[in-house]
Amino acid sequence: MLFFAALLIFLNLIASHFYTRFDFTKEKRFTLNPKSKAVLAKAKQEITVTVFLDGELPAAFKRLQRATADLLNDYKATSGVKINVVFTDPVSGLAQQEQDTVLSNLYRIGIEPTNLNIKNEAGFTQKTIFPMAIVQAGDRQIAVKLLQNLDAGGGYEDNINNSIQNLEYVFTSAIKKVSTGENPRIGFTEGNGEPSDLYLSDAMKSLSDSYEVGRVDLNQISKQGLDKLKILFITKPQREFSEAVKYKINYFVMNGGRVVWSLDQVSASLDSLKGKGEQLAFNNKLNLDDQLFMYGARINYNLVADLNCAEIPVAMRGGAGRDIQMAPWIYYPVLVPDTSNNIVRNIDGVKTEFLSTVDTIGVKGIRKTVILRTSPYHIVYQTPKLLTLATVAETPDQKLYSNPAQNAAVLLEGVFPSVFANRAVPAGITENYGVPGQSKNTRMIVIGDGDIFLNQVSGRDGSVFPLGFDRYTQRNFGNKAFLLNIADYLSSDDNLIELRNKEVKVRLLDKQLLRQSKTKWQFINLILPLLLLILFAIFQHYYRKYKYAR
């Protein structure tokens, strides 16, 4: 016994000086990624993490709280600087008026509450919780959202599990930003017929949690304004680009800027079809073909009709008049992610509207990676083409739709040639940009659809639906995850996006088996301990009798 006690004391003394953990989980959920360790190693000043998820919480949020605490303990053990971790409930014990003041102050620094309906003996009670945290280093701080809620149509458990999977990314990214002072700027272009803020609302709001996001008018922006940007989203322009605007984009790329081209090469709209029943889809004139060609990509003038598609509401004739039913719409392809690429790994199918295919061009020094493809069950139509709503009632010929998958989005990386090398400066450029013959090492993504980052808007009250959420089918697609992954990949050379692709499997009990075996296990748990206790008492009685009877 003395030896055993001494051994325990010795092991505890050793453990107090050396931190280690044995992770036997298949997905290594309790092991920090080397990317996180590298960020922590570069930290130079003390970090304070205040987690507002505390107090009485439902079981699912308790699980999120424990996962957060475990992760932050790993950070404390790994980091070269001191990391202070504080868990607090900011409104606990406060009067209503004081709570309102605290809520207002927290909202000002980006801490938003979540209201929950908790079941109790009296029915339901509402509780305000804060699934948020603040990461602070010196005079810099950033709000961290613990509850991601990417799946607008998912259940409670799904959202909690997705949030746990994403914890390492959000904390590592936040620590990097407060430690280095980096806060990349992202601009969504306007001035060439791009959608209004309403249709880009959820895209910009989702990105604003980690970036400075706003609209950029390429006709008005100066050289200094371009230099401040990290990523430029050119999303669904409708008007032709002038040579002066193209010159500015080219300068941005040559200077190492990252661009996402999300373009409609063909003009088509479901709203026009609803009014007339048919529409002629015709080619858009954006004057960007030569620029994309020089960079190594081409968006074709065609339309993809895919059997793997989203549904639209259609008025069907019934016995009592017209009935609204959901019907597959082959011109809304759902794209298949290439799971070998970090940008689209572990995301759902991505919904598109009136998609065109994308080809890659052989440009020296450019590495091309296809990240989204059509399904193998599609047809590519050349445009102009007459579209009609009667298509929803037709039974497609499977043989005609069996074709090799087509590219829908490509990633281009490397040193890009200048579109304006050995050319005169276009009219309208008044500043000296000094455009070189080739770019710094940079990246861009070319997508054959302009609607991929647009959210739906209610026609009744103008309210905004989450990006990727289809209000008609209540289905959530992977568009928002795709957007966030793109921003993460293009904004950082550290490739922290690997952390977002961490997968934690929830191994839940089989509910069917649980219902079938409930009585048996209740009986075992109730009777077996009593039987063991009785057997031990009988054994003890006869043992004592045998021992002392001699």
Side-chain angles (χ1 to χ4, degrees):
M1 291 292 291
L2 287 173
F3 172 77
F4 184 68
L7 181 62
L8 284 178
I9 292 171
F10 176 73
L11 290 175
N12 276 278
L13 287 172
I14 295 296
S16 65
H17 292 87
F18 300 97
Y19 175 83
T20 187
R21 166 177 273 173
F22 300 99
D23 190 349
F24 296 108
T25 59
K26 183 178 180 181
E27 61 270 23
K28 298 299 178 185
R29 70 172 68 182
F30 301 111
T31 302
L32 284 184
N33 189 288
K35 300 285 185 184
S36 296
K37 293 179 181 179
V39 170
L40 293 170
K42 294 177 182 177
K44 302 299 182 185
Q45 53 185 327
E46 185 175 319
I47 299 169
T48 300
V49 181
T50 305
V51 183
F52 297 98
L53 190 63
D54 202 18
E56 293 185 12
L57 300 168
F61 282 92
K62 276 286 186 186
R63 191 156 60 86
L64 179 61
Q65 182 194 49
R66 286 194 299 270
T68 303
D70 285 343
L71 179 68
L72 293 177
N73 284 334
D74 284 348
Y75 281 20
K76 290 171 67 176
T78 305
S79 176
V81 298
K82 184 178 181 182
I83 297 182
N84 305 303
V85 179
V86 180
F87 280 80
T88 182
D89 181 354
V91 296
S92 177
L94 298 180
Q96 185 61 50
Q97 187 175 357
E98 293 174 314
Q99 287 188 17
D100 292 341
T101 303
V102 169
L103 287 172
S104 177
N105 292 335
L106 289 174
Y107 193 83
R108 211 173 284 123
I109 60 174
I111 303 299
E112 301 176 4
T114 297
N115 293 320
L116 297 178
N117 290 321
I118 301 176
K119 189 175 181 180
N120 55 25
E121 296 179 356
F124 286 90
T125 182
Q126 193 171 78
K127 180 176 176 60
T128 301
I129 66 169
F130 298 81
M132 301 282 295
I134 285 284
V135 177
Q136 184 172 2
D139 59 350
R140 292 188 293 270
Q141 67 178 28
I142 187 170
V144 172
K145 186 181 292 185
L146 306 182
L147 183 64
Q148 295 302 302
N149 196 27
L150 291 180
D151 187 358
Y156 224 18
E157 288 291 340
D158 291 335
N159 287 334
I160 292 292
N161 190 51
N162 289 337
S163 300
I164 291 174
Q165 291 178 168
N166 211 43
L167 282 176
E168 186 174 355
Y169 167 74
V170 295
F171 276 112
T172 299
S173 179
I175 288 172
K176 179 188 175 184
K177 287 171 183 172
V178 297
S179 299
T180 62
E182 292 181 5
N183 196 13
R185 290 188 177 184
I186 296 177
F188 284 81
T189 62
E190 60 182 0
N192 285 85
E194 291 89 342
S196 67
D197 289 357
L198 190 64
Y199 290 91
L200 288 166
S201 173
D202 195 57
M204 293 195 294
K205 182 178 182 297
S206 300
L207 290 172
S208 64
D209 292 335
S210 303
Y211 307 92
E212 289 186 31
V213 186
R215 301 303 296 268
V216 173
D217 190 338
L218 291 175
N219 296 289
Q220 304 295 330
I221 194 169
S222 64
K223 176 178 178 292
Q224 184 181 10
L226 286 171
D227 290 339
K228 293 178 181 178
L229 289 173
K230 185 71 174 182
I231 306 175
L232 198 61
F233 277 84
I234 303 176
T235 303
K236 198 174 182 174
Q238 300 294 305
R239 292 198 294 269
E240 187 173 341
F241 280 66
S242 67
E243 292 299 310
V245 168
K246 290 166 63 178
Y247 187 85
K248 292 179 180 180
I249 297 173
N250 183 71
Y251 164 77
F252 179 70
V253 173
M254 296 302 106
N255 206 36
R258 284 83 194 271
V259 182
V260 180
W261 307 84
S262 174
L263 309 178
D264 278 344
Q265 287 287 65
V266 177
S267 180
S269 169
L270 187 61
D271 290 336
S272 299
L273 280 167
K274 288 178 181 177
K276 302 176 182 177
E278 62 181 25
Q279 179 196 14
L280 182 66
F282 56 90
N283 298 338
N284 274 334
K285 294 182 179 180
L286 300 177
N287 192 29
L288 292 174
D289 293 350
D290 60 333
Q291 191 157 11
L292 289 174
F293 190 90
M294 286 288 291
Y295 294 154
R298 176 176 59 222
I299 303 178
N300 297 306
Y301 291 95
N302 56 29
L303 276 180
V304 176
D306 200 318
L307 298 184
N308 184 38
C309 59
E311 296 180 330
I312 60 171
V314 180
M316 302 288 188
R317 292 188 180 276
R322 288 182 175 270
D323 182 28
I324 302 297
Q325 296 182 12
M326 301 306 299
W329 181 238
I330 57 176
Y331 296 106
Y332 278 10
V334 177
L335 301 181
V336 181
D338 183 348
T339 55
S340 64
N341 190 278
N342 283 331
I343 296 178
V344 289
R345 186 177 296 162
N346 296 334
I347 73 171
D348 294 325
V350 177
K351 179 189 172 187
T352 61
E353 299 181 7
F354 302 108
L355 172 75
S356 298
T357 61
V358 180
D359 289 338
T360 57
I361 310 299
V363 177
K364 186 178 179 181
I366 303 299
R367 184 169 70 256
K368 299 104 178 170
T369 307
V370 178
I371 54 179
L372 290 177
R373 289 185 171 90
T374 67
S375 81
Y377 310 105
H378 71 277
I379 293 178
V380 176
Y381 292 110
Q382 299 303 313
T383 53
K385 176 173 174 55
L386 184 66
L387 305 179
T388 173
L389 277 178
T391 306
V392 299
E394 299 174 357
T395 302
D397 186 341
Q398 297 287 343
K399 293 181 180 179
L400 293 177
Y401 282 82
S402 296
N403 295 294
Q406 296 289 314
N407 302 339
V410 296
L411 167 68
L412 307 175
E413 299 173 284
V415 177
F416 294 86
S418 173
V419 180
F420 288 87
N422 302 318
R423 288 175 55 183
V425 176
I429 299 297
T430 57
E431 296 178 276
N432 182 17
Y433 282 82
V435 178
Q438 62 181 21
S439 75
K440 299 177 182 178
N441 193 36
T442 188
R443 307 164 175 172
M444 65 175 64
I445 290 176
V446 181
I447 307 169
D449 177 46
D451 299 278
I452 201 166
F453 301 129
L454 306 188
N455 52 252
Q456 293 182 350
V457 177
S458 172
R460 184 178 304 171
D461 57 6
S463 59
V464 172
F465 292 92
L467 173 60
F469 182 70
D470 187 353
R471 70 184 189 272
Y472 300 115
T473 60
Q474 299 294 297
R475 179 181 173 186
N476 196 75
F477 296 94
N479 298 53
K480 182 182 288 191
F482 182 48
L483 170 73
L484 296 176
N485 286 358
I486 284 176
D488 295 340
Y489 187 78
L490 296 185
S491 65
S492 173
D493 294 324
D494 293 338
N495 202 16
L496 292 183
I497 192 175
E498 289 183 9
L499 305 181
R500 189 184 285 279
N501 295 320
K502 187 172 184 177
E503 185 175 2
V504 177
K505 294 182 180 179
V506 180
R507 295 166 175 86
L508 301 174
L509 295 174
D510 187 327
K511 294 183 179 181
Q512 182 66 24
L513 184 61
L514 194 64
R515 281 193 293 268
Q516 294 173 355
S517 308
K518 180 179 179 181
T519 305
K520 179 182 77 173
W521 287 107
Q522 284 179 333
F523 179 80
I524 290 173
N525 284 323
L526 182 66
I527 301 300
L528 187 60
L530 294 176
L531 287 176
L532 290 174
L533 187 62
I534 293 170
L535 288 173
F536 178 77
I538 293 172
F539 169 78
Q540 184 73 0
H541 170 74
Y542 282 103
Y543 176 75
R544 289 174 61 85
K545 185 177 180 181
Y546 170 77
K547 182 177 181 180
Y548 295 108
R550 291 182 298 175

